[in-house]
């Protein structure tokens, strides 16, 4: 795979604040054309990573390449290839929706005003309302329409649905997924909610305490991992290295292993693992540098 | 037009849910040969689901010869060669299952116990067939 | 960008423009009336030329009718500060407060271009508004300046170049404080406080030292009045210090002067004759009136330099993406 087929590549990326490292040793290669979820608990370093990806923050170490271009250059060309939707969808509250679109037109090389207007009309959002008087869901939609009208190659969203009610969340994802279906855009979004990830994304990056603990194509990850249930033991001796998590009850041990499709040892029963459980298992793991595992396209 | 659903709690991967729904609908006659499935974009915007997932489901259905994609026109349900189930087979299978269920409830099993029993026998049978 | 800057800051610009307009018109009306008190123009009554009946009457009427305006205007040295701080505080702070910096800096306009455009536009508005205001105020004060000179605190601080420099100083402090505090209102407060804190020592300590003051010495005249010491050559000069010195030029302390006064009283002689007889001299330390523009330039440069350093820090922080 050549460099440009990756929507995003980071190498040894790190960010240090006065209080310590927010992100360390982050090396990723994310494929273009898909929807990538960046998952982790609050404070895991998701926002820091995303801000470095869109060029808002300067990395302390390492490099970021978006579609083969160094983002630290911040030229109009690199900036117009990346769209960003910050947490809580900030808008100029005193601008009308039409003025927000004018802002987008004034500040971008290519801006599809018609596209944005059509999207907003379809959602019934009036152009003459002030942004600050719109509902949270509508503000998110305006911010999304603005970001999509840039026609970016990479769209980065920081916790896009965290503050939305279920209906607004569904509508937001409808528009976002519709945009992906039209093609040409890679979506990278962060979320601290693991639920419903499978439905919207096909690539996963798990971030915990400033480090990447798991990354890969979801189908591949699910195929590689499985649950083994068997008699109680400390660990399954044959697979000590592949055990991600072990839960012991009085008589049983349940292991989450990453061993591909090796036949289960006698007395052990193999079961597929749900994505949610897989992510949670990795989030519960104590993080060490060596635990970062990569899978899928990069493998 | 056929409408897909998505059960986020089932644990079944979303693309597989889509495939299963079409397979079932064909079996039960809700989808007839020549019927058009919704466009990928329509499914995406309806369910708020990743387009790659829908594309994958459609690809899988094409591989299973369940449907055929015609560029520029859409995806259409095929004549089923196996057409495995004639209406009479369907009725008789259904009757057999109903009889079995009545016996199970009469034996004091509750809904969960019935599910557990069915799933375990189902899995076992499947495993034996694979092996 | 022009449209964006106007749209974002039009409220502040309009409010300030309106205030400057209202004050400006009021001062123009009052000032025209005040100027009319001097048929030949206030300059004719300045200095030695003003020691005549007509000018004295004009000055008396000026003081009676418009003295209150002059007193009010003494507080107006803060107006440029308000203008600068009001425009500078929200420049970055509002974007940081509302999170919209993430919106502004991820469009196709590089942040340095964005920042340069904003700084130039708002600093320009600051200069234009304070410049206009100061021009009107300088004109309004002409009759008063003819009477009192331009080195008094209520004159020097509100005319010429320094008000614009004060405004730019406030603009710089407010912008930098906004970048660090990330809130508009505290940034405004910091700018205001910083100006008050800087202005005191500058006016009291630094300003007299912009140049070496001149000193005049002359023997006490026999017939001179006793209540006003200090042979300052002109009313418009800025007297820093005045007092008495003995024949050798050594300055007398106030105790020594009072002892002489007591001695004169005891002897029953006229104080001036008494002092004259002892070769006591009067001295005055002052800056001549023609140093006004030099002093204006120095003080303006001082405040503008601080503003430039602060803006430089802001630019550096934004460039290094430390915000």
């Amino acid at each position: 795979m050549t460099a440009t087929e990756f929507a995003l590549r980071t190498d040894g990326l790190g960010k240090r604040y006065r209080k310590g490292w927010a992100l360390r040793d982050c090396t990723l290669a994310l494929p273009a054309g898909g929807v990538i979820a960046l998952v982790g608990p609050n404070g895991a370093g998701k926002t820091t990573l995303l801000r470095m990806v869109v060029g808002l923050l300067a990395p302390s170490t390492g490099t970021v390449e978006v579609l083969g271009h160094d983002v630290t250059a911040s030229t109009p060309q690199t900036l117009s290839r990346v769209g960003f939707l910050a947490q809580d969808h900030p808008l100029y509250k005193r601008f009308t929706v039409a003025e927000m679109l004018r802002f987008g037109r004034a500040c971008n090389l290519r801006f599809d005003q018609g596209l944005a207007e059509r999207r907003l009309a379809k959602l019934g959002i009036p152009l003459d309302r002030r942004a600050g008087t719109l509902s949270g869901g509508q503000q998110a939609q305006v911010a999304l329409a603005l970001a999509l009208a840039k026609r970016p190659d990479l769209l980065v969203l920081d916790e896009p649905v965290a503050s939305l009610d279920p209906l607004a969340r569904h509508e937001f994802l409808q528009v976002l997924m519709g945009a992906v279906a039209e093609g040409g855009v890679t979506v990278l979004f962060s979320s601290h909610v693991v639920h419903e990830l499978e439905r919207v994304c096909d690539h996963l990056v798990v971030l915990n305490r400033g480090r990447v603990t798991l990354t890969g194509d979801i189908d591949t990850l699910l195929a590689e991992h499985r649950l083994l249930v068997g008699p109680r033991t400390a660990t399954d001796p044959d697979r000590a290295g592949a055990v991600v998590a072990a839960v012991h009850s009085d008589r049983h041990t349940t292991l989450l292993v990453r061993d591909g499709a090796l036949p289960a040892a006698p007395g052990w029963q193999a079961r597929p693992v749900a994505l949610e459980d897989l992510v949670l298992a990795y989030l519960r793991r104590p993080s060490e540098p060596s635990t970062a595992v990569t899978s899928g396209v990069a493998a | 037009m056929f409408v897909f659903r998505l059960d986020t709690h089932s644990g079944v991967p979303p693309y597989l849910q889509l495939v299963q729904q079409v397979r079932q609908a064909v079996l039960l006659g809700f989808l007839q040969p020549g019927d058009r499935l919704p466009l990928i974009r329509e499914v995406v915007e309806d369910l708020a689901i990743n387009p790659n997932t829908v594309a994958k489901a459609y690809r899988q259905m094409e591989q299973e010869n369940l449907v055929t994609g015609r560029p520029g026109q859409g995806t259409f349900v095929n004549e089923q060669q196996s057409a495995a189930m004639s209406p009479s087979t369907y009725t008789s299978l259904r009757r057999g299952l109903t009889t079995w269920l009545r016996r199970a409830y009469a034996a004091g099993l509750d809904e969960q116990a019935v599910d557990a029993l069915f799933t375990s026998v189902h899995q076992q049978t499947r495993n034996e067939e694979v092996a | 960008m022009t449209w964006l800057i106007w749209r974002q800051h039009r409220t502040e610009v309009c409010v300030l423009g309106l205030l400057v307009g209202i004050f400006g018109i009021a001062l123009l009306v009052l000032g025209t009336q005040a100027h009319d008190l001097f048929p030949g123009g206030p300059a004719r009554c300045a200095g030695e030329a003003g020691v005549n009946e007509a000018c004295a009457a004009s000055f008396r009427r000026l003081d009676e009718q418009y003295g209150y305006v002059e007193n009010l205007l003494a507080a107006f040295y803060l107006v440029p500060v308000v203008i600068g701080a009001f425009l500078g505080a929200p420049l970055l702070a509002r974007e940081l407060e509302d999170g919209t910096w993430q919106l502004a800096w991820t469009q196709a306009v590089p942040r340095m271009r964005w920042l340069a455009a904003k700084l130039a536009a708002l600093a320009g508005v600051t200069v234009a508004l304070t410049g206009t205001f100061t021009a009107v105020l300088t004109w309004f004060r002409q009759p008063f300046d003819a009477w009192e000179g331009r080195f008094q605190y209520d004159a020097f601080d509100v005319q010429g170049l320094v008000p614009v420099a004060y405004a730019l100083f406030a603009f710089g402090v407010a912008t930098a404080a906004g970048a660090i505090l990330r809130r508009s209102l505290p940034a405004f407060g910091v700018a205001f406080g910083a100006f008050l804190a800087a202005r005191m020592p500058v006016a009291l300590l630094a300003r007299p030292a912009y140049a070496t003051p001149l000193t005049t010495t002359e023997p006490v005249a026999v017939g001179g009045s006793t209540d006003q010491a200090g042979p300052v050559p002109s009313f418009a000069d800025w007297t820093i210090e005045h007092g008495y010195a003995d024949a050798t030029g050594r300055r007398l302390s106030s105790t020594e002067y009072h002892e002489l006064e007591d001695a004169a009283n005891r002897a029953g002689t006229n104080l001036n004759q008494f002092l004259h007889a002892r070769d006591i001299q009067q001295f005055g330390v002052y800056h001549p009136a023609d140093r006004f523009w030099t002093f204006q330039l120095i003080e303006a440069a001082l405040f503008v330099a601080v503003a430039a350093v602060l803006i430089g820090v802001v630019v550096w922080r934004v460039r290094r993406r430390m915000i």
Side-chain angles (χ1 to χ4, degrees):
Chain A
M1 203 172 244
T2 61
T4 44
E5 279 171 74
F6 288 111
L8 173 69
R9 272 161 79 105
T10 67
D11 186 21
L13 191 64
K15 179 71 191 176
R16 190 189 186 140
Y17 292 113
R18 243 169 293 172
K19 52 183 190 282
W21 288 91
L23 189 76
R24 283 195 95 156
D25 300 330
C26 175
T27 300
L28 293 169
L30 303 175
V35 181
I36 305 144
L38 175 64
V39 183
N42 292 326
K46 300 190 297 289
T47 299
T48 302
L49 174 57
L50 295 185
R51 282 185 179 167
M52 287 194 286
V53 167
V54 299
L56 278 175
L57 265 185
S60 306
T61 62
T63 56
V64 190
E65 248 180 41
V66 171
L67 303 135
H69 292 267
D70 183 3
V71 293
T72 46
S74 278
T75 62
Q77 283 72 29
T78 55
L79 282 167
S80 55
R81 307 185 73 172
V82 184
F84 182 53
L85 199 57
Q87 205 164 351
D88 302 324
H89 339 100
L91 294 173
Y92 294 112
K93 302 264 182 268
R94 288 182 293 179
F95 282 32
T96 63
V97 176
E99 283 170 333
M100 282 309 309
L101 295 185
R102 183 163 178 191
F103 155 78
R105 207 172 62 225
C107 294
N108 286 289
L109 303 177
R110 43 176 184 179
F111 189 79
D112 197 334
Q113 170 112 1
L115 177 80
E117 280 173 0
R118 278 195 303 279
R119 283 187 195 285
L120 294 174
K122 206 169 151 191
L123 293 159
I125 297 174
L127 292 180
D128 55 355
R129 281 274 295 277
R130 281 181 195 275
T133 64
L134 297 172
S135 72
Q138 288 176 320
Q139 290 188 21
Q141 291 285 7
V142 172
L144 180 61
L146 209 57
L148 286 172
K150 276 180 82 174
R151 294 214 167 273
D153 298 321
L154 174 66
L155 178 62
V156 179
L157 307 97
D158 193 0
E159 298 275 1
V161 293
S163 60
L164 303 181
D165 62 68
L167 187 64
R169 181 178 308 187
H170 190 78
E171 284 174 350
F172 185 92
L173 289 176
Q174 281 178 319
V175 175
L176 182 63
M177 290 302 129
V180 176
E182 281 168 19
V185 64
T186 304
V187 171
L188 168 64
F189 75 96
S190 70
S191 172
H192 64 270
V193 188
V194 183
H195 184 59
E196 285 205 358
L197 275 183
E198 221 172 341
R199 170 185 205 147
V200 289
C201 62
D202 34 32
H203 206 90
L204 188 71
V205 178
V206 178
L207 201 60
N208 201 8
R209 286 179 221 125
R211 290 185 189 273
V212 175
T213 55
L214 179 70
T215 165
D217 174 69
I218 287 181
D219 290 337
T220 316
L221 287 176
L222 288 178
E224 284 174 354
H225 288 81
R226 52 188 182 154
L227 288 171
L228 293 178
V229 185
R232 182 177 171 134
T233 54
T235 48
D236 177 18
D238 297 339
R239 297 195 176 83
V243 173
V244 178
V247 180
H248 306 283
S249 65
D250 286 350
R251 295 202 192 109
H252 289 97
T253 292
T254 306
L255 300 175
L256 174 64
V257 293
R258 178 181 201 151
D259 61 354
L262 287 174
W268 288 80
Q269 229 188 342
R271 271 195 281 150
V273 62
L275 183 65
E276 196 170 335
D277 298 327
L278 179 67
V279 171
L280 288 174
Y282 274 92
L283 288 180
R284 285 197 195 100
R285 285 181 105 188
S287 61
E288 312 138 37
S290 61
T291 57
V293 272
T294 309
S295 177
V297 285
Chain B
M1 179 66 70
F2 188 70
V3 179
F4 286 102
R5 292 165 285 111
L6 210 54
D7 181 358
T8 46
H9 299 280
S10 69
V12 181
Y15 87 93
L16 216 51
Q17 291 191 34
L18 303 186
V19 175
Q20 282 172 356
Q21 282 169 30
V22 171
R23 210 184 278 145
Q24 272 178 12
V26 167
L27 278 176
L28 299 178
F30 298 151
L31 275 175
Q32 298 286 336
D35 280 357
R36 191 170 75 84
L37 291 185
L39 300 174
I40 292 185
R41 249 201 81 178
E42 290 168 342
V43 182
V44 164
E45 294 195 339
D46 184 36
L47 296 180
I49 186 178
N50 186 334
N52 297 338
T53 306
V54 186
K56 189 175 171 187
Y58 276 37
R59 264 201 312 277
Q60 169 113 4
M61 289 188 267
E62 284 190 50
Q63 277 167 14
E64 291 182 12
N65 234 343
L66 205 58
V67 298
T68 305
R70 289 180 214 147
Q73 295 180 54
T75 305
F76 298 87
V77 177
N78 289 344
E79 283 298 340
Q80 306 300 314
Q81 303 99 325
S82 52
M85 209 157 44
S86 65
S88 60
T89 323
Y90 175 76
T91 320
S92 110
L93 279 175
R94 195 185 161 92
R95 200 175 295 143
L97 193 56
T98 316
T99 319
W100 181 84
L101 272 176
R102 291 223 175 95
R103 278 177 53 206
Y105 286 126
L109 270 65
D110 62 3
E111 209 174 313
Q112 280 176 359
V114 168
D115 277 352
L117 184 56
F118 178 82
T119 312
S120 101
V121 173
H122 189 202
Q123 268 178 358
Q124 198 186 338
T125 327
R126 258 209 322 219
N127 289 347
E128 281 163 9
E129 267 173 23
V130 171
Chain C
M1 274 306 282
T2 319
W3 172 81
L4 176 65
I5 296 171
W6 164 246
R7 177 61 190 87
Q8 281 194 289
H9 297 279
R10 65 182 184 194
T11 314
E12 294 100 278
V13 173
C14 286
V15 166
L16 292 174
L18 205 67
L19 282 178
V20 167
I22 290 170
F23 279 122
I25 288 168
L27 286 178
L28 280 176
V29 171
L30 289 172
T32 310
Q33 294 164 1
H35 274 68
D36 285 346
L37 295 175
F38 298 84
R44 272 224 184 143
C45 287
E48 305 301 327
V51 195
N52 63 47
E53 220 30 56
C55 281
S58 295
F59 281 129
R60 202 164 47 245
R61 286 182 58 200
L62 178 72
D63 188 43
E64 281 165 6
Q65 293 175 24
Y66 302 104
Y68 74 97
V69 185
E70 193 205 6
N71 292 335
L72 280 180
L73 287 184
F76 274 44
Y77 73 98
L78 290 174
V79 169
V81 181
V82 171
I83 293 176
F86 206 57
L87 289 170
L91 195 151
L92 281 167
R94 199 193 287 149
E95 304 274 355
L96 295 167
E97 237 171 339
D98 297 344
T100 47
W101 63 284
Q102 303 170 93
L103 186 67
W105 296 349
T106 50
Q107 308 301 316
V109 178
R111 63 175 67 195
M112 291 312 291
R113 200 179 299 165
W114 179 95
L115 185 65
K118 278 227 166 186
L119 285 172
L122 293 176
V125 172
T126 304
V127 170
L129 285 176
T130 35
T132 311
F133 183 73
T134 307
V136 175
L137 204 51
T138 305
W139 171 81
F140 178 86
R141 278 201 54 91
Q142 276 176 6
F144 297 95
D145 292 343
W147 176 246
E148 296 161 341
R150 294 201 283 180
F151 261 119
Q152 302 305 312
Y153 295 121
D154 59 356
F156 188 88
D157 293 6
V158 296
Q159 48 182 300
L161 298 171
V162 296
V164 178
Y166 294 163
L168 286 174
F169 171 82
F171 177 77
V173 177
T175 307
I180 292 160
L181 298 174
R182 299 172 158 254
R183 308 257 314 277
S184 302
L185 206 63
F188 182 86
V190 167
F192 214 80
F195 175 74
L196 291 179
R199 191 243 177 196
M200 272 303 185
V202 166
L204 295 178
L205 301 173
R207 194 182 296 164
Y210 290 161
T212 315
L214 302 181
T215 307
T216 55
T217 320
E218 62 180 44
V220 175
V222 183
S225 69
T226 51
D227 55 297
Q228 202 209 334
V232 169
S234 160
F235 77 104
D237 295 331
W238 185 22
T239 306
I240 310 288
E241 198 187 349
H242 57 78
Y244 293 89
D246 66 16
T248 64
R250 191 184 61 84
R251 288 174 191 181
L252 301 179
S253 68
S254 56
T255 341
E256 286 172 310
Y257 176 72
H258 283 299
E259 278 167 9
L260 286 171
E261 222 173 27
D262 288 343
N265 282 343
R266 274 196 306 275
T269 13
N270 173 293
L271 176 62
N272 280 2
Q273 281 172 354
F274 187 81
L275 295 176
H276 184 76
R278 276 156 190 79
D279 285 339
I280 300 292
Q281 315 178 73
Q282 278 181 302
F283 74 91
V285 179
Y286 70 102
H287 289 293
D290 60 12
R291 287 184 178 173
F292 177 77
W293 285 107
T294 314
F295 274 43
Q296 283 270 331
L297 266 176
I298 293 172
E299 185 150 327
L302 206 65
F303 278 89
V304 170
V306 175
V309 168
L310 289 169
I311 295 290
V313 170
V314 170
V315 168
W316 180 74
R317 281 179 67 100
V318 171
R319 193 186 179 84
R320 292 283 311 274
R321 290 184 256 189
M322 287 160 71
I323 282 175

